[in-house]
Amino acid sequence: MSESTVVVFGDQPPVHLDRVADRAKVLVCDENSLPQALPAADVLLVWDFTSDAVRDAWPGEGHRPAWVHTASAGVDRLLCPELVTSDTVLTNARGVFEQPIAEYVAGLVISMAKDFHGTWELQRQRRWQHRETMRLAGTRAVVVGAGPIGRAIDSTLASLGVVVDLVGRTARPGVRGGDELPELLPSADWVVCAAPLTDATRGMFDRTIFDRMKSTARFINVGRGPLVVEKDLTAALVARRIGGAALDVFEHEPLASDDPLWDVPGLFISPHMSGDTVGWRDHLADQFQDNYERWCAGEPLLNVVDKRLGYVPVD
């Protein structure tokens, strides 16, 4: 194969792409230079996966990258009709974030069950107030999203003694179908969203869902912000129709300092960090370079996204 051109989109590109740089011309661009760089790209690495710039700049006609890789699990910020219908192969970072996110969810569940926030607040007040907390083993969780992240959350919570119902788009062995979700919610102590963002899932967690949850249940979203109707979640928390919630993703990011969500009672907010552990950028760079070597060798790429579904089909 003749020397290819790899365009890396992002203000902070990976610290090393040595294996790619030895075999290709590497161009780093930002939002302003991306439209000019795309026509030259054989491969596009989307390092800044929080931007809509690729979708906005994608060429409708003419030369386009043969392969696009995003350093994220979700691909919703990339997909546009022109990319979906093109012959460009799209891959994602499946395999990097699953276990860290599962551990983060488990940490939230333990923290909520054991009221660590309340203990910290009482310590801050120098108050000795004995309390009883929730036993985690034997509680029930509904995890919505049966992809790799959802399955990692399932197994991690199960190891703590939580009884888990994993819910996917369609029913299959070990997975409940989406049409079963309403009947599962009333008995759930934990409802965890790890679903991909598609036209079918956008806004799926609305007042109807929160009204079906029991008053002590907690809701956690580590999927995508637009999966949740934030005003409906806020209303449920303010009225104490559910016991609490934790959001790691939001409809608009970063969350503005004057956003009313900061003051919602019973809501734990984190800045889209559930999958980001020490060394994660190196893991992402290595994953892309491994796949690049497969591409150069004419071998099938790993983590190929079904662009019409918006995710990598489950094996």
Side-chain angles (χ1 to χ4, degrees):
M1 177 183 291
S2 60
E3 184 183 60
S4 56
T5 298
V6 177
V7 170
V8 181
F9 166 62
D11 294 330
Q12 295 181 330
V15 291
H16 69 87
L17 285 177
D18 299 340
R19 286 185 281 152
V20 173
D22 289 342
R23 308 177 68 170
K25 179 180 180 181
V26 178
L27 302 176
V28 178
C29 65
D30 58 16
E31 290 191 359
N32 294 326
S33 56
L34 179 64
Q36 291 73 42
L38 267 178
D42 298 298
V43 178
L44 173 65
L45 168 59
V46 183
W47 192 252
D48 180 2
F49 50 81
T50 65
S51 171
D52 295 325
V54 173
R55 182 172 59 199
D56 295 339
W58 190 259
E61 297 180 357
H63 181 80
R64 59 178 63 86
W67 168 35
V68 174
H69 177 80
T70 179
S72 62
V75 298
D76 50 276
R77 303 199 77 150
L78 301 178
L79 293 180
C80 60
E82 292 81 7
L83 174 56
V84 171
T85 58
S86 74
D87 56 3
T88 297
V89 177
L90 175 62
T91 59
N92 73 353
R94 177 179 178 180
V96 174
F97 298 108
E98 289 85 348
Q99 192 55 38
I101 292 176
E103 293 169 2
Y104 198 88
V105 170
L108 288 171
V109 168
I110 293 171
S111 177
M112 291 175 174
K114 302 305 177 184
D115 191 26
F116 288 164
H117 175 78
T119 298
W120 177 254
E121 178 59 25
L122 289 168
Q123 177 182 337
R124 190 186 67 80
Q125 298 176 19
R126 298 174 178 260
R127 292 174 56 195
W128 182 277
Q129 182 177 322
H130 181 270
R131 293 155 6 263
E132 296 177 347
T133 61
M134 184 179 186
R135 180 173 178 172
L136 193 56
T139 60
R140 301 191 68 92
V142 171
V143 177
V144 181
I149 293 174
R151 286 183 288 173
I153 294 170
D154 179 349
S155 61
T156 301
L157 292 182
S159 70
L160 298 172
V162 179
V163 179
V164 182
D165 286 304
L166 186 60
V167 178
R169 187 169 61 94
T170 56
R172 55 186 183 272
V175 178
R176 311 289 289 269
D179 58 339
E180 299 178 75
L181 180 59
E183 69 186 57
L184 297 172
L185 290 171
S187 61
D189 300 290
W190 318 98
V191 177
V192 183
C193 173
L197 178 61
T198 67
D199 290 341
T201 60
R202 185 179 297 272
M204 69 177 295
F205 287 92
D206 57 10
R207 176 169 182 168
T208 301
I209 293 289
F210 299 126
D211 282 350
R212 293 194 67 85
M213 292 168 56
K214 59 185 180 181
S215 61
T216 55
R218 271 83 164 210
F219 173 74
I220 297 171
N221 185 18
V222 290
R224 282 290 183 266
L227 294 165
V228 177
V229 180
E230 291 174 351
K231 65 180 180 61
D232 290 356
L233 175 60
T234 296
L237 289 167
V238 169
R240 297 186 178 180
R241 295 199 303 271
I242 62 174
L247 298 179
D248 185 55
V249 288
F250 302 85
E251 185 168 1
H252 301 289
E253 297 182 8
L255 198 64
S257 60
D258 60 351
D259 194 293
L261 284 173
W262 291 107
D263 299 317
V264 174
L267 177 60
F268 180 89
I269 288 174
S270 58
H272 204 149
M273 58 180 283
S274 62
D276 301 346
T277 53
V278 175
W280 67 288
R281 293 177 179 84
D282 291 331
H283 294 319
L284 289 170
D286 288 341
Q287 181 189 58
F288 170 71
Q289 293 187 112
D290 289 344
N291 232 5
Y292 180 76
E293 291 179 351
R294 297 177 67 91
W295 188 73
C296 289
E299 299 175 358
L301 296 175
L302 302 177
N303 297 352
V304 174
V305 173
D306 183 322
K307 293 182 290 184
R308 297 190 182 278
L309 293 176
Y311 53 84
V312 178
V314 176
D315 298 333

